[in-house]
């Protein structure tokens, strides 16, 4: 009877903490980082619980860094990046990937802004690079700006050349243009 009681107590002392750690692992798998890992004993299960707490701490830090980057970008600090070096292993690799993705979008935006600025100064000699996939909308918009400016210039040139030739009856073709 004593051996049976001891067996039940030992089993409970292992199963209950292991169940708590498993519950915490399942919570993390669902994205719930707020479930506490309460096991603190000196055993393999306690060591597993300590590892779980460390993993949750790292994940919370990663989430906080992403949130901080989002808020910084919304506030106009587009150079803000996640501190990838602060995260171990795959977490650092993921942070580097997020930073690279953000930089890629910023590079595309900077190129588009530079081209629009060039066009605004009147230099319509170059075409914007052909972007792939959904980014092609950017290319199409910049091409449309260029074409509109070329059409406007051609219409003004037509009217000026007519006036130089003494033909003041020419009028601008308002149907070709929208707004201003």
């Amino acid at each position: 009877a004593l051996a049976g009681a001891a067996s039940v107590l030992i089993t409970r002392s292992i199963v209950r903490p292991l169940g708590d750690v498993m519950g915490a692992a399942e919570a993390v798998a669902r994205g719930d980082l707020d479930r506490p890992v309460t096991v603190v004993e000196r055993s393999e299960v306690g060591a597993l619980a300590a590892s779980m707490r460390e993993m949750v701490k790292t994940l919370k830090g990663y989430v906080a860094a992403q949130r901080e980057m989002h808020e910084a970008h919304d506030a106009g600090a587009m150079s803000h990046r996640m501190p990838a070096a602060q995260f171990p292993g795959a977490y650092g690799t993921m942070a580097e990937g997020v930073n690279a993705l953000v930089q890629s979008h910023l590079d595309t935006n900077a190129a588009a802004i530079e081209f629009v600025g060039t066009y605004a100064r009147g230099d319509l000699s170059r075409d914007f690079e052909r972007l792939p996939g959904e980014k092609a909308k950017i290319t199409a918009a910049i091409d449309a700006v260029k074409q509109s400016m070329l059409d406007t210039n051609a219409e003004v040139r037509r009217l000026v050349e007519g006036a130089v030739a003494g033909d003041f009856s020419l009028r601008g073709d308002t149907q070709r243009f929208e707004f201003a």
Side-chain angles (χ1 to χ4, degrees):
L2 189 57
S7 172
V8 168
L9 290 174
I10 291 171
T11 301
R12 283 186 181 168
S13 71
I14 294 171
V15 171
R16 182 178 299 135
L18 189 56
D20 288 347
V21 173
M22 286 174 54
E26 289 168 358
V28 169
R30 291 189 313 271
D32 177 5
L33 302 180
D34 293 324
R35 179 176 173 161
V37 182
T38 57
V39 177
V40 290
E41 60 188 53
R42 292 181 185 199
S43 67
E44 288 82 3
V45 175
L48 179 59
S51 294
M52 284 290 301
R53 280 191 290 279
E54 195 60 32
M55 180 179 67
V56 168
K57 179 182 171 188
T58 299
L59 285 168
K60 282 183 174 182
Y62 186 88
V63 168
Q66 259 192 327
R67 183 178 302 116
E68 181 181 314
M69 184 170 76
H70 178 261
E71 290 168 356
H73 280 246
D74 279 353
M78 295 187 322
S79 63
H80 184 85
R81 298 291 179 271
M82 289 179 68
Q86 290 181 8
F87 298 105
Y91 300 118
T93 301
M94 289 188 307
E96 288 171 359
V98 168
N99 289 341
L101 176 65
V102 168
Q103 188 60 52
S104 170
H105 286 292
L106 290 174
D107 290 346
T108 300
N109 289 345
I113 291 166
E114 186 266 328
F115 254 84
V116 170
T118 300
Y119 289 173
R121 290 189 306 275
D123 180 0
L124 305 176
S125 63
R126 297 184 308 153
D127 289 326
F128 191 67
E129 70 176 292
R130 304 294 99 183
L131 297 175
E134 293 176 16
K135 287 182 178 181
K137 292 177 184 177
I138 297 168
T139 303
I142 292 175
D143 287 350
V145 167
K146 180 180 180 179
Q147 190 59 52
S148 178
M149 294 178 86
L150 288 169
D151 291 347
T152 302
N153 288 347
E155 186 67 5
V156 169
R157 183 176 298 115
R158 184 181 71 83
L159 296 172
V160 168
E161 288 172 355
V164 167
D167 183 358
F168 296 101
S169 67
L170 294 176
R171 297 292 175 255
D173 183 0
T174 58
Q175 299 302 318
R176 288 182 58 202
F177 304 98
E178 294 181 313
F179 307 109

